[in-house]
Amino acid sequence: MAKVIFHDHQGNSREVEAKNGMSVMEAAIANMIPGIDADCGGACACATCHVYVADSWIDKLKPKDDMEDSMLDFADEVQDNSRLCCQILLSDELDGIEVTTPENQ
């Protein structure tokens, strides 16, 4: 199990637990986290699961592939720490990962 801490743009936080191997997006959907719509169901074919990953966690993630990078072009307010959370798979190494949903998602 891995813990994910979701923050919204207003500073509210919610901590959830999910099984290793699940994506951060799946954990969000299972726990009804606002701001994560996941319209494509995790196929990396939209940008409705766009999040900002806390700086302390960025280096622990595998790098963005070309598909994720191109899908982020459809997201608003993209930053250096922007990721699609359907592409972040939970593991022991990511236990406690913190992500923030953008204001206009």
Side-chain angles (χ1 to χ4, degrees), residues 21-55:
M22 287 181 72
S23 70
V24 171
M25 180 220 72
E26 291 171 315
I29 296 302
N31 291 281
M32 296 181 287
I33 300 296
I36 308 237
D37 295 334
D39 290 345
C40 74
C44 197
C46 71
T48 61
C49 69
H50 172 221
V51 295
Y52 303 120
V53 177
D55 291 340

Side-chain angles (χ1 to χ4, degrees), residues 50-63:
H50 172 221
V51 295
Y52 303 120
V53 177
D55 291 340
S56 59
W57 291 95
I58 287 289
D59 291 339
K60 296 177 182 171
L61 301 179
K62 69 177 195 172

Side-chain angles (χ1 to χ4, degrees), residues 68-83:
E68 180 182 2
D69 201 37
S70 65
M71 281 296 111
L72 280 167
D73 289 342
F74 296 100
D76 292 329
E77 303 173 28
V78 173
Q79 302 174 2
D80 290 342
N81 63 339
S82 288
R83 293 297 300 261

